[in-house]
């Protein structure tokens, strides 16, 4: 695989958290295949931002595309909660997001999750539809659908596992996609692979995730 470059779409664990200076998993994957990386990772983003990024950085322009979302998509919020895109960003959206954060803080205080019901930030059918649309838009590009890492807040993990299972099924349905999963390996070594905040990958976590993605690509290459 060479020539057209690699694009990575994802959340904070693709972009890299502020202050982190180590290797990023997407960069390690691109380096392993000799590809120049375009990193479209964005903190707090979901597959809704994926659709926007794919408009600005079309996957058809790359030979390899990496998709890693689910951490925020699978996050529970109250039914009907507002959402403001993180990309493309502008001052008006930043202002609105501050108000959304205040609304959600008050929602917890007034227990709106119990009164209105809880839903994922991006419901699973919508999550899958966004990814399917992007993958099928570029049939000549090879996609790696990357499982979301576990969280030290274990209450979040059942939802993350549910999204990962659906992502694996989707990858099997798409001719130009493979699934890469480091969930169990990251969890087994969580003291090394997850930062103290419980969410972000350490350098060991990034390297472990990159290893699983590279392994999935090599298996695909051998099967071709």
């Amino acid at each position: 695989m060479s020539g057209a470059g690699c694009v990575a779409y994802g959340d904070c664990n693709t972009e890299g958290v502020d202050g982190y200076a180590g290797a990023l998993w997407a960069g390690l994957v691109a380096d392993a295949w000799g590809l120049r990386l375009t990193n479209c990772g964005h903190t707090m983003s979901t597959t809704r931002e994926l659709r926007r990024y794919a408009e600005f950085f079309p996957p058809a322009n790359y030979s390899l595309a990496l998709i890693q979302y689910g951490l925020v998509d699978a996050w529970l919020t109250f039914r009907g909660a507002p959402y403001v895109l993180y990309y493309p960003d502008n001052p008006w959206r930043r202002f609105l997001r501050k108000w959304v954060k205040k609304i959600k803080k008050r929602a917890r205080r007034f227990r709106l999750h119990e009164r209105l019901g809880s839903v994922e930030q991006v419901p699973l059918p919508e999550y899958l539809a966004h990814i399917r649309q992007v993958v099928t838009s570029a049939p000549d590009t090879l996609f790696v659908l990357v499982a979301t890492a576990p969280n030290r807040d274990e209450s979040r993990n059942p939802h993350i596992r549910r999204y990962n299972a659906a992502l694996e099924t989707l990858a099997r349905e798409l001719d130009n996609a493979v699934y890469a999963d480091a969930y169990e390996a990251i969890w087994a070594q969580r003291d090394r692979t997850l930062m103290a905040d419980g969410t972000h990958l350490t350098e060991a976590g990034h390297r472990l995730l990159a290893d699983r993605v590279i392994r999935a690509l090599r298996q695909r290459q051998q099967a071709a």
Side-chain angles (χ1 to χ4, degrees):
M1 187 187 304
S2 62
C6 171
V7 61
Y9 309 103
D11 56 33
C12 54
N13 277 325
T14 294
E15 179 184 24
V17 66
D18 285 347
Y20 174 77
L24 296 171
W25 71 268
L28 292 168
V29 171
D31 288 347
W33 292 96
L35 299 173
R36 180 177 54 83
L37 176 67
T38 299
N39 192 330
C40 295
H42 198 130
T43 296
M44 290 299 295
S45 65
T46 70
T47 49
R48 291 170 181 163
E49 280 81 9
L50 165 64
R51 293 285 293 271
R52 299 304 184 94
Y53 267 112
E55 292 174 8
F56 286 87
F57 301 90
N61 293 342
Y62 302 87
S63 58
L64 178 65
L66 314 172
I67 294 180
Q68 179 268 309
Y69 291 94
L71 184 66
V72 183
D73 297 76
W75 200 345
L76 286 183
T77 186
F78 65 91
R79 191 176 299 278
Y83 185 83
V84 181
L85 285 169
Y86 281 78
Y87 182 84
D89 204 7
N90 57 51
W92 177 239
R93 282 182 172 157
R94 287 192 288 274
F95 173 78
L96 289 177
R97 284 199 298 271
K98 289 181 180 179
W99 278 102
V100 169
K101 288 179 181 178
K102 291 181 180 179
I103 290 170
K104 289 184 177 180
K105 185 176 181 179
R106 291 177 181 175
R108 289 192 293 271
R109 183 187 308 167
F110 293 107
R111 304 172 74 176
L112 289 187
H113 290 74
E114 296 177 16
R115 297 181 181 184
L116 301 178
S118 295
V119 294
E120 291 90 357
Q121 185 70 70
V122 178
L124 185 57
E126 181 187 347
Y127 168 84
L128 295 172
H130 289 317
I131 295 173
R132 182 187 292 274
Q133 194 280 330
V134 171
V135 174
T136 57
S137 74
D140 295 328
T141 299
L142 177 59
F143 287 81
V144 184
L145 308 187
V146 182
T148 298
N151 199 283
R152 284 183 180 270
D153 178 357
E154 296 188 45
S155 68
R156 297 183 65 178
N157 289 338
H159 302 280
I160 290 173
R161 286 196 297 268
R162 178 169 168 254
Y163 276 57
N164 285 347
L167 188 66
E168 181 178 16
T169 298
L170 178 63
R172 291 198 209 101
E173 296 172 0
L174 299 168
D175 293 337
N176 59 327
V178 296
Y179 177 71
D181 187 358
Y183 180 101
E184 295 297 342
I186 290 171
W187 185 249
Q189 303 176 54
R190 55 190 174 276
D191 290 339
R192 294 182 58 250
T193 56
L194 292 174
M195 292 185 180
D197 63 19
T199 296
H200 300 109
L201 296 174
T202 63
E203 183 161 11
H206 278 280
R207 291 188 179 280
L208 196 158
L209 180 54
D211 175 74
R212 294 300 189 272
V213 174
I214 293 167
R215 187 180 301 181
L217 285 168
R218 286 177 176 160
Q219 289 173 347
R220 167 79 176 216
Q221 191 177 54
Q222 290 168 2

